[in-house]
Amino acid sequence: MRFVKVQTFDQWRTEARRLLLSDVPPEQVAWMADDEQLSLFDSNGDAELPATQASFTVPKAFLDLARTVACHRVGTRWSLLYRTLWRLMHGERHLLQITTDEDVDALMTMRKAVTRDVHKMKAFVRFRKVIDSDGRAVYVAWHRPDHRIVRLAAPFFSRRFSGMNWSILTPDESVTWDQTSLQYGPGIPVSDAPDDDALEELWKTYYASIFNPARVKVDTMKREMPVRHWPTLPETSLIDDLLQSAPERVAAMVDQNEGFAETAMHYMPERIDLESLRAAVVGCHACDLHQHATQPVFGEGPPDARIVLVGEQPGDREDLDGRPFVGPAGKLLDDALSQAGIRRSDVYLTNVVKHFKFTEPPTSRGKRRLHQKPNAREVFACRPWLEAELMLIQPVAILCLGATPSQALFGRDFQVSKHRGEIRATDWCDRTMATWHPAAILRMPDARRRTEMQQQLIDDLTRIHPTRPPT
């Protein structure tokens, strides 16, 4: 038996390579955390393993999966990863595609737990202003994640808060950004986190102003914002008072005719998975579009798709068939996918708005109903469906087709004409890009420009493919 100590993904990868090159099977390796101690009679057998620079080809999908799973806190992750790697290298090259396999299922479950924890860290971290010894303002946050996710989440904060100096402290590891690079250090206990300050009071004021008493669901709030995180979230000290005053505030809203837009969150099922969402969206009345559309059109594709394509809304054909991208724009998209070397069956297709918004055409124009752009209120009302899809699928790449999905994910000021083809990080994916909507290409009257836009769509699909590095 060989005893191997590792703590990080890079350490595991180095040791796994040595073991694999020495043809050491998984059952002969005991993986140990870095802080575990060997007993008197144990031996790690390092002298028997070659210190070689030899290499072999490992599927990129496995490396991406392993890099995420390595952040999980469960101690069996290292042995599970090595056993899966051994199987991949010994005749089971397509193992990761067998989602019913026990090892693969366990790894996928760990990956979902880690990525969800990353999303929660992005949502729950609150910076407090601190003046350093040189009189400069720095911002410090303390957070208690479920898993060792600091290195996965830190790049997001460096992009979001690139213009300020900040540190995020966790019990396992800490990270500091000096507006140039990320520096990692040891964990910090909660007792060393900074106290309240003016910035925190400002955040409390903001949170109280956006708190919606008409839509609050205490059980859901506690599930999405776990109580154990409340000590580090300044706004939670206001929740009891806000809940107690909610009835009066709702009455005042009614008296003053303050309409809070209803959203799809009201129709979300208790059990969140794609099939449950597909069934629940049928009853969604968050906006008026359901009154005239034939049916809602939910997303379609594999639940573990690596690429998600997001359009604006279903069209006439989609509204009748109940499937996304089956009309003329869908046929153009199918052709672009084929030329980009991507199978439609491998991607998840969806829209920001799930019901068809249209106007009836004049008699001389035929029977096809005319597309009408959804307004901001309709996009806002429907947005939770899209966010739930992205949270469940956790894609490696997202391609926004047209202005509406691009502004939903990048912000209202985003312009496809200026920023098409740029790969950016969003809250849902590190590889997110905007391109032309196929329908916009079909409507382009200039034939030369139409051909150019169609080629740009193909090029963008090729570049956003997660197995191909961006150019």
Side-chain angles (χ1 to χ4, degrees), residues 60-61 64 111 304-308 346-347 393 395-398 466-467:
K60 185 178 184 297
D64 293 340
R111 180 176 68 178
D304 59 347
R306 293 168 60 77
I307 309 176
V308 171
D346 289 339
V347 303
I393 296 170
V396 177
I398 298 174
T467 61

Side-chain angles (χ1 to χ4, degrees), residues 13 27 101 129 169 217 299 305 326 339 349 361 364 401 429:
R13 182 173 56 181
E27 58 270 18
D101 181 86
K129 186 177 181 181
L169 319 176
K217 294 182 179 180
V326 293
Q339 293 192 54
L349 297 165
S364 60
L401 304 174
C429 183

Side-chain angles (χ1 to χ4, degrees), residues 209-215 245-261:
S209 70
I210 65 171
F211 180 82
N212 186 348
R215 300 297 320 139
S245 62
E248 292 79 7
R249 294 185 66 187
V250 171
M253 287 161 54
V254 174
D255 291 340
Q256 298 170 22
N257 195 28
E258 295 180 17
F260 274 64

